[in-house]
Amino acid sequence: MAGESVPRRAAVLGKPIDHSRSPDLHLAAYRALGLTDWTYDRIECTAEELPGLVDGLGPEWIGLSVTMPGKVAALTHAVERTERAVQVGSANTLVRIDEGAGGWRADCTDVDGVVGALAEVGVTDLSGAAVVVVGAGGTSRPALRAFADLGAVEVTVVARSADRAADTLACAATIGLRARHQGLDAAEVGAVCGEAAVVMSTIPASAAADLAPSIARAPVVFDAIYDPWPTPLAAAVAAAGGTVVDGLRMLLNQAFGQVEQFTGMPAPREAMAAAVQRP
């Protein structure tokens, strides 16, 4: 596919979508790979609109990045699904697999995003470790798979109630992680974070701010937010002497896999990183 001279199209789907940095990453990659006639757009799309929109795309469309709120719909609508996408219950990547029939394969490169971002700060082996995930939304489950891939064995899911955490706890059990729920009591959150190898916050910056001193007891804290930056949580971790991993690193590392699946070529990582480098 990558060697063809015909123009190809890709895009990121979501709502809201104006803030997405995915076009910066993908266009930088395509140009570095010599794919000068490839385009990558932003398309505003709800979960309900996703099936009809995807079905209406012509054969020149080779790949789609999917952000909220369409990740579950993307998984459901695909005709093929990777094992990890099924396991975490969502897909951030749709790849054309049959131009004639219009079929799509769903994958979740968000898992790669977490693994790759942690590797950038030297975290490559969590064998036997305990980790914490703050929040039980869509980002929490790819993080669980990433932690398991790195060898973690136990996760504490911090959420307002056990009912809110139920799906994430079930996902952890499917993956093979021992999992338990922890409420929002600051002292108790501080205790579990202090014993964890890595904590990942998947909640909005304003919500994480209330727990920031407790979460900052961990040696490594991954904040899935990337704009605005730094978040109150990131500032608290830095003040406590910990290592902060930001969501922009996750975005970058998940995009490597998307580019490779769309183009069939190795991702030009340096060019992509330069496209989203902060001043």
Side-chain angles (χ1 to χ4, degrees):
M1 182 182 296
E4 298 176 7
S5 59
V6 296
R8 296 294 188 185
R9 301 186 68 182
V12 57
L13 310 182
K15 186 174 183 177
I17 202 64
D18 289 346
H19 69 286
S20 175
R21 301 295 305 274
S22 291
D24 301 327
L25 288 164
H26 280 259
L27 290 172
Y30 303 159
R31 301 303 174 258
L33 293 171
L35 304 173
T36 57
D37 52 2
W38 285 41
T39 61
Y40 188 98
D41 303 304
R42 296 181 182 90
I43 301 177
E44 189 167 284
C45 176
T46 66
E48 294 74 20
E49 293 167 338
L50 185 143
L53 188 151
V54 171
D55 285 346
L57 299 177
E60 73 276 13
W61 288 85
I62 47 81
L64 298 166
S65 309
V66 184
T67 187
M68 298 303 292
K71 293 185 178 184
V72 175
L75 178 71
T76 303
H77 192 63
V79 298
E80 288 186 11
R81 304 166 185 88
T82 64
E83 178 267 344
R84 63 183 182 177
V86 172
Q87 196 173 57
V88 304
S90 66
N92 74 323
T93 306
L94 289 173
V95 184
R96 177 83 74 180
I97 57 173
D98 184 343
E99 293 183 5
W104 299 83
R105 181 181 69 246
D107 189 24
C108 185
T109 67
D110 285 332
V111 176
D112 303 327
V114 176
V115 171
L118 287 172
E120 290 187 18
V121 298
V123 178
T124 59
D125 186 358
L126 292 173
S127 297
V131 295
V132 174
V133 174
V134 182
T139 306
S140 66
R141 292 185 283 279
L144 295 177
R145 172 61 189 258
F147 288 144
D149 286 351
L150 292 174
V153 297
E154 180 179 338
V155 62
T156 299
V157 179
V158 176
R160 188 173 304 278
S161 69
D163 286 345
R164 282 178 175 265
D167 289 345
T168 297
L169 293 170
C171 177
T174 300
I175 291 169
L177 292 168
R178 298 194 301 271
R180 69 183 186 94
H181 167 253
Q182 169 61 55
L184 300 184
D185 179 82
E188 293 179 352
V189 171
V192 297
C193 290
E195 296 174 355
V198 177
V199 175
M200 181 162 185
S201 173
T202 66
I203 61 178
S206 57
D210 294 336
L211 289 172
S214 299
I215 297 172
R217 292 185 58 187
V220 178
V221 176
F222 195 147
D223 191 341
I225 301 297
Y226 67 83
D227 186 31
W229 190 264
T231 62
L233 174 57
V237 175
T243 298
V244 182
V245 185
D246 71 286
L248 194 60
R249 293 186 183 185
M250 179 178 175
L251 180 73
L252 174 63
N253 280 274
Q254 64 81 31
F256 294 151
Q258 287 186 339
V259 166
E260 291 175 354
Q261 292 187 52
F262 292 0
T263 68
M265 302 169 70
R269 298 188 173 214
E270 290 185 6
M272 294 173 69
V276 292
Q277 187 173 11
R278 286 196 173 97

